[in-house]
Amino acid sequence: MIWLSVIILPLLAAWFTSRYPSGRRNAGQLFVLASFPAIGLGLAEVAGIQLDWFILGTHFSLDTSRRIILLLTGILWASSGLFSGSYLKDDIRRGTFNFYFGAAMAGNFGLLITADAASFYTFFALMTFASYGLVIHSQTPAARKAAKVYLVMAILGELFIISALFLAVQSAGSMLLADIAPALASASNGPFIFLFGLIGFGVKVGVIPLYFWLPLAHPAAPVPASAVLSGAMIKAGLVGWMHLAPVGLVDWPSLSLMMISLGFTAALGAVIIGLLQVDPKTNLAYSSISQMGLMTAFLGIGLYGGIPGNLLLPAIALYAFNHGTAKALLFLGTALPGKVGGYWRILMWLGLGLAVLAIAGGPLTGGLWTKYLLKTFLSKTGLPGIDVFAYLLTLSAITTTLLLSRFLHLLRQVESPKESKAPSFILPWFFLFLAGGWWTMSPTLLPEGLMYQILGEKGMMAFFWNPITIWTALWPIILTAGSLVVVFTLKSSFLNRWIKEKPLIPPGDFLYVILWIGDLFEKQIQKGIGIMQSFVETRHSAEKIIYKFIENKKTIYISSSAEALLRRWEVVGISFFVFFLVLFLFLR
């Protein structure tokens, strides 16, 4: 049964590759095999089923949006798993890594193929907490700190998620996820429930201001874990939003504008902080925050009304597909510069350059479609300030190119081997490059209605080779590249002072603001405790008077006599009678 095999095979791979030496030696191949059912379901439509004996009665099914994201996750887990087999072959803790890797894979696949709230949350939690083992894997102080922050934020997110799902199921009167969005559209507390989900799943997405765990966790985790954290697992929060969002069914202008504003703030603000980083993986983490910000804005458009969910949600899934494959290629690519030499470096820079173009929305890439779709849907809404948002979208293409150019510059500083050679893990990296869909593959995943809305009567190639389309996608990249060439040619004093060793703003920037506020709060509490202690010390004289009165012989005699009197049954009986008589008179 293909539905169950999507979940069971990764769990078996996790157990076998962590327990047996032969499993650890062949971990890469086993993780690829465990990903095949998920990739198969992502490529072909299969009828859903219901298993009453599994969890609380699990429904397995896929819609177009989740099928696109399942294909993405299958490709990424397969390539990252194969990559890890050779990349971590000398790691003494690779068995532990394999266990958490397989468990997180099972959770990631499971939350995508389940269609009921109980099973969805079960697999979401499995993925979330298994990922903790990936972040802390190296056991360095930085990894322990990142894992601690990740775990705290994960638990916070889970509290909001389970609250949102409980209220949503109660409102819908059904455990099926497909019934939740229509129910929230008509419920008076629908926006409140969605806001809970927005916060809970927003932790995983990295929405402002809940993003600060990402720049800490990605550099701390091993390279293959970073690839799936940013490329696949971060999209699980997006899927959670898509289950709750009544796209095309409501007009929630306040929530819509809030999501769009938060999205563009992340898209542009994360770039500024990312440019100041010196670790390539930290740079990519801020790039992920930026791109997830655009997807947040994408979904926010749907809450303003007027755009059918069967068009918008697959478009968001396609955006996730292009970003996920390109970002995973870049994360895996961070392990290559110090290992690849000679002519192999041409292939390396070609793959990295095309991945950068795909994220920036360059010509002839899948990213071109996604940016075009976002502009199309923006133009079809009555959002106030629509021209400003369209301008910000164009600006984000420039800033994305600038940020990822900084990433390539950081990789270029890594010393390369003098001889022509390449590590064995360049093979899965190249497979991901071929499977990523940089050219025209990913748009074919879209439903026919959405393709017609984009192309009209024109064919796909007519769209791609349209000079206006190419120039619209190309000019922000040319402008950024030209500016960088001028700066490098002039070698300005500003460039010579550019951050090289220690970032101007530390990774997890907002975390330090929270810790600073916490320190201030702690100092105020300590000050209050000190005041209370001094107050208690001044009351010692009053306490001595009280104790002297209690220990007086006459006081002791009176209290003993009263206690003996109360023990007599007739006194107790009369007292109860009087008490109940008074109570009766008051309650009559």
Side-chain angles (χ1 to χ4, degrees):
M1 186 181 295
I2 190 170
W3 293 100
L4 278 179
S5 66
V6 171
I7 301 164
I8 293 174
L9 288 182
L11 292 175
L12 290 176
W15 174 74
F16 192 71
T17 57
S18 62
R19 186 175 178 85
Y20 298 105
S22 60
R24 287 193 288 272
R25 286 194 302 270
N26 299 287
Q29 295 88 325
L30 290 174
F31 284 130
V32 171
L33 290 175
S35 302
F36 278 168
I39 295 174
L41 283 176
L43 290 172
E45 293 187 16
V46 179
I49 62 170
Q50 179 180 351
L51 298 179
D52 294 329
W53 55 268
F54 193 70
I55 307 183
L56 296 179
T58 300
H59 294 254
F60 291 108
S61 67
L62 283 170
D63 54 23
T64 302
S65 305
R66 286 184 291 132
R67 188 164 59 84
I68 294 172
I69 297 179
L70 180 63
L71 178 61
L72 162 70
T73 57
I75 292 171
L76 296 192
W77 283 102
S79 55
S80 298
L82 187 60
F83 190 97
S84 69
S86 55
Y87 181 77
L88 298 173
K89 65 180 179 179
D90 298 323
D91 193 318
I92 59 174
R93 288 185 289 269
R94 61 177 177 168
T96 305
F97 176 88
N98 292 339
F99 175 79
Y100 288 114
F101 190 87
M105 181 196 300
N108 199 178
F109 290 163
L111 70 90
L112 290 171
I113 65 174
T114 50
D116 62 282
S119 303
F120 170 80
Y121 178 74
T122 300
F123 289 114
F124 192 97
L126 172 62
M127 180 198 70
T128 296
F129 293 112
S131 301
Y132 171 82
L134 302 178
V135 176
I136 203 173
H137 173 76
S138 65
Q139 298 292 333
T140 62
R144 290 178 181 274
K145 176 185 176 181
K148 183 179 179 180
V149 173
Y150 170 82
L151 189 59
V152 170
M153 293 303 297
I155 293 173
L156 177 66
E158 295 296 316
L159 291 174
F160 277 95
I161 289 170
I162 199 168
S163 301
L165 289 177
F166 177 81
L167 294 172
V169 167
Q170 186 182 49
S171 179
S174 169
M175 292 286 286
L176 294 179
L177 293 169
D179 296 334
I180 287 178
L184 295 187
S186 58
S188 58
N189 62 343
F192 173 77
I193 297 173
F194 180 77
L195 184 61
F196 261 54
L198 183 65
I199 296 172
F201 292 116
V203 172
K204 188 67 66 182
V205 170
V207 71
I208 288 179
L210 306 172
Y211 64 90
F212 51 82
W213 66 270
L214 274 165
L216 297 172
H218 286 179
V223 168
S226 298
V228 290
L229 275 169
S230 181
M233 286 188 275
I234 198 174
K235 309 302 187 297
L238 185 66
V239 172
W241 282 351
M242 293 162 76
H243 280 309
L244 295 177
V247 175
L249 303 176
V250 294
D251 185 4
W252 291 345
S254 298
L255 277 174
S256 174
L257 289 173
M258 182 184 74
M259 289 188 70
I260 295 172
S261 300
L262 287 176
F264 278 110
T265 301
L268 301 175
V271 170
I272 297 173
I273 303 174
L275 285 170
L276 303 176
Q277 303 305 310
V278 296
D279 186 329
K281 290 172 70 178
T282 308
N283 175 283
L284 290 180
Y286 278 104
S287 172
S288 293
I289 295 169
S290 175
Q291 292 302 304
M292 294 307 295
L294 290 178
M295 292 180 225
T296 303
F298 221 153
L299 187 62
I301 293 172
L303 297 181
Y304 203 82
I307 301 176
N310 63 344
L311 296 182
L312 182 63
L313 297 182
I316 296 174
L318 180 66
Y319 201 124
F321 181 93
N322 281 281
H323 170 259
T325 49
K327 188 55 63 69
L329 192 74
L330 294 178
F331 265 109
L332 295 180
T334 59
L336 297 179
K339 303 289 185 180
V340 175
Y343 291 107
W344 288 100
R345 293 183 69 81
I346 298 175
L347 175 64
M348 181 191 75
W349 289 117
L350 176 64
L352 294 174
L354 286 175
V356 168
L357 283 177
I359 295 176
L364 305 179
T365 66
L368 172 62
W369 284 91
T370 56
K371 297 292 175 70
Y372 179 80
L373 285 170
L374 185 50
K375 290 179 180 178
T376 301
F377 288 130
L378 269 174
S379 65
K380 291 188 176 182
T381 63
L383 280 167
I386 188 69
D387 295 334
V388 175
F389 290 132
Y391 169 77
L392 292 177
L393 182 60
T394 302
L395 182 61
S396 72
I398 298 174
T399 56
T400 297
T401 307
L402 187 62
L403 178 61
L404 294 179
S405 298
R406 167 69 173 163
F407 164 75
L408 295 177
H409 177 66
L410 290 172
L411 287 189
R412 188 173 175 273
Q413 295 175 355
V414 178
E415 187 176 351
S416 61
K418 298 187 184 306
E419 64 274 18
S420 180
K421 67 173 187 176
S424 56
F425 50 77
I426 197 173
L427 187 61
W429 179 84
F430 184 66
F431 284 159
L432 177 59
F433 169 66
L434 295 178
W438 316 121
W439 311 106
T440 58
M441 187 274 285
S442 56
T444 61
L445 299 172
L446 291 173
E448 186 176 344
L450 186 56
M451 289 292 291
Y452 181 80
Q453 179 148 341
I454 299 170
L455 301 175
E457 300 296 334
K458 299 182 294 182
M460 184 184 300
M461 298 311 297
F463 172 84
F464 268 121
W465 291 107
N466 187 312
I468 298 177
T469 304
I470 293 175
W471 174 247
T472 302
L474 197 58
W475 77 260
I477 299 172
I478 293 176
L479 177 63
T480 307
S483 302
L484 290 174
V485 168
V486 171
V487 170
F488 276 97
T489 302
L490 296 177
K491 293 188 180 299
S492 66
S493 58
F494 174 76
L495 182 63
N496 293 331
R497 293 196 304 267
W498 192 257
I499 308 97
K500 296 180 180 179
E501 296 180 0
K502 188 177 180 180
L504 184 61
I505 298 178
D509 46 282
F510 190 65
L511 173 64
Y512 294 91
V513 177
I514 296 174
L515 293 176
W516 177 72
I517 294 173
D519 288 339
L520 289 180
F521 188 64
E522 182 182 1
K523 290 178 182 178
Q524 293 300 318
I525 291 177
Q526 290 176 346
K527 185 177 179 181
I529 292 173
I531 293 173
M532 291 177 63
Q533 287 177 340
S534 62
F535 176 76
V536 169
E537 290 173 357
T538 59
R539 303 291 295 177
H540 281 174
S541 57
E543 291 178 7
K544 290 178 181 178
I545 295 172
I546 293 171
Y547 281 120
K548 186 176 181 181
F549 173 77
I550 293 173
E551 293 171 357
N552 185 275
K553 292 182 179 180
K554 189 174 181 179
T555 305
I556 294 173
Y557 173 76
I558 294 171
S559 63
S560 300
S561 301
E563 185 178 354
L565 182 65
L566 289 173
R567 286 179 178 176
R568 296 176 59 180
W569 70 267
E570 60 268 25
V571 175
V572 176
I574 293 172
S575 300
F576 268 103
F577 175 76
V578 172
F579 172 76
F580 283 112
L581 180 63
V582 173
L583 184 65
F584 172 76
L585 292 174
F586 272 102
L587 297 178
R588 189 177 57 167

